[in-house]
Amino acid sequence: MTSPSPPPNAHPYLRAASAGVRHHTRALSPPDATSSRATDRQHLDVLHAHLAAVLHLLDLLAESTRPPHPAAGRLLATAHTRLWQATSDVHNAFHLLPADTAADAETSACRPDRLPEGPPMLTICQRHLAAGHVVRRKTTPSDLRPRTTACVR
C-alpha cells in the first residue's frame, strides 16, 4: 500500500529554502571548468545559518519520530550528528578565510573564553555555540568522534 503524495503546497517555506539553495548553487557554479570564484566569509556565514536552522529542524523531527518509530528516529538522530559535523566544519572554514578588512583580521579568531567583537564573527560564533549546546546535550563524545567540534583557532 502506498501512502498518498503530499499536496503540492505542503511545507512551502521549506520548499522555498531548498529552491534558494539550489539557485545559489547554480549562481556560484562556473560556466566553464576553468573559472571559479572563491568563497568569502559572507557565503559561509549565510550557509552556516541555513545549516543551523536545518539542524534544529532535524532535531525536532528526530525527537517526534523516535517514540512511534524508534529505528527511523535513530537514523534521524544520526543524520543530526553528521549535519552538526558539517556545520562545525563550515564554522571552522569561516575562521580560516582571510578577513575582509584589517579590523576583521584582528577579531577573526573564535575565542570560547570571551565573546567575539562585532559581526559577522559575533553572529556565527553565537549561533555555533548555541547549536553546539544542543548537540552536546543529546549526543555522547564518542558519537562526535573522530571529528572535533572545537574552534580551529
Side-chain angles (χ1 to χ4, degrees):
M1 175 179 219
T2 61
S3 61
S5 61
N9 61 351
H11 313 290
Y13 295 113
L14 193 55
R15 289 179 188 271
S18 298
V21 170
R22 284 191 305 271
H23 171 75
H24 191 70
T25 302
R26 283 190 302 270
L28 285 176
S29 298
D32 58 1
T34 59
S35 66
S36 64
R37 293 179 6 189
T39 294
D40 60 13
R41 285 181 157 198
Q42 287 180 331
H43 280 111
L44 293 185
D45 185 33
V46 172
L47 178 60
H48 187 272
H50 185 78
L51 290 173
V54 173
L55 190 68
H56 183 66
L57 175 61
L58 194 53
D59 183 41
L60 293 174
L61 289 172
E63 289 298 317
S64 65
T65 303
R66 188 172 284 137
H69 307 286
R74 280 191 303 274
L75 288 172
L76 290 173
T78 299
H80 179 265
T81 300
R82 290 182 180 151
L83 183 60
W84 163 251
Q85 291 168 338
T87 304
S88 186
D89 285 343
V90 169
H91 173 253
N92 293 341
F94 174 89
H95 287 292
L96 291 175
L97 285 178
D100 297 331
T101 66
D104 287 347
E106 294 175 11
T107 61
S108 66
C110 185
R111 307 263 321 253
D113 58 331
R114 64 182 175 87
L115 288 175
E117 292 116 13
M121 279 64 72
L122 179 65
T123 308
I124 191 170
C125 292
Q126 282 183 334
R127 183 185 324 117
H128 194 69
L129 288 172
H133 288 296
V134 172
V135 169
R136 287 182 188 95
R137 239 187 13 238
K138 297 183 178 203
T139 58
T140 65
S142 63
D143 290 337
L144 298 174
R145 284 189 195 122
R147 308 289 295 253
T148 180
T149 58
C151 294
V152 287
R153 288 190 172 203

